[in-house]
Amino acid sequence: SYGQTVDTQKGVALFGRACIGCHDGGGNIILPGATLFLKDLRSNGVDTEEEIYRVTYYGKGRMPGFGENCTPKGQCTFGPRLKEDEIKLLAEFVKAQADQGWQNVGNYGD
């Protein structure tokens, strides 16, 4: 549907702005065992949209949180924060990409 296409485009743009630095193509340049591929998401207990949302909002390990009300401060990004609806959209996008094996990845941020 048209709405789904727009959401995917927004997801691609958000991912390109906030996530691609570490997670290009679903990988992870900091921790190779913490990619956004389903196998790693499952083994790290982050294989649902809710868990992806939580980790994106509050951070986990070396990944900073991006939520507007992320605490504690040391676990949160020093860069721009994301609104709740943006993190929800990112969680949906990442889960959909993981389910598809990150095969349909275009140019982020275009």
Side-chain angles (χ1 to χ4, degrees), residues 6-80:
V6 170
D7 285 350
T8 300
Q9 289 172 344
K10 285 181 183 174
V12 166
L14 269 171
F15 190 87
R17 195 176 86 215
C19 313
I20 199 169
C22 295
H23 292 291
D24 191 10
N28 187 326
I29 64 167
I30 308 290
L31 292 170
T35 72
L36 301 179
F37 288 93
L38 210 47
K39 175 179 70 84
D40 285 340
L41 289 173
R42 280 191 182 127
S43 69
N44 291 310
V46 189
D47 59 337
T48 64
E49 283 181 26
E50 293 77 20
E51 282 301 306
I52 295 167
Y53 176 94
R54 188 184 59 73
V55 168
T56 306
Y57 197 101
Y58 294 106
K60 180 179 180 180
R62 296 188 55 194
M63 180 176 156
F66 288 86
E68 290 180 305
N69 298 311
C70 176
T71 56
K73 242 184 166 73
Q75 181 61 52
C76 309
T77 183
F78 293 107

Side-chain angles (χ1 to χ4, degrees), residues 71-107:
T71 56
K73 242 184 166 73
Q75 181 61 52
C76 309
T77 183
F78 293 107
R81 301 290 178 96
L82 299 173
K83 294 180 175 72
E84 286 186 35
D85 62 327
E86 291 175 316
I87 295 175
K88 185 176 185 316
L89 184 62
L90 269 174
E92 291 169 5
F93 175 76
V94 167
K95 177 68 169 122
Q97 290 300 313
D99 288 344
Q100 296 167 23
W102 290 87
Q103 295 172 13
N104 300 320
V105 179
N107 295 322

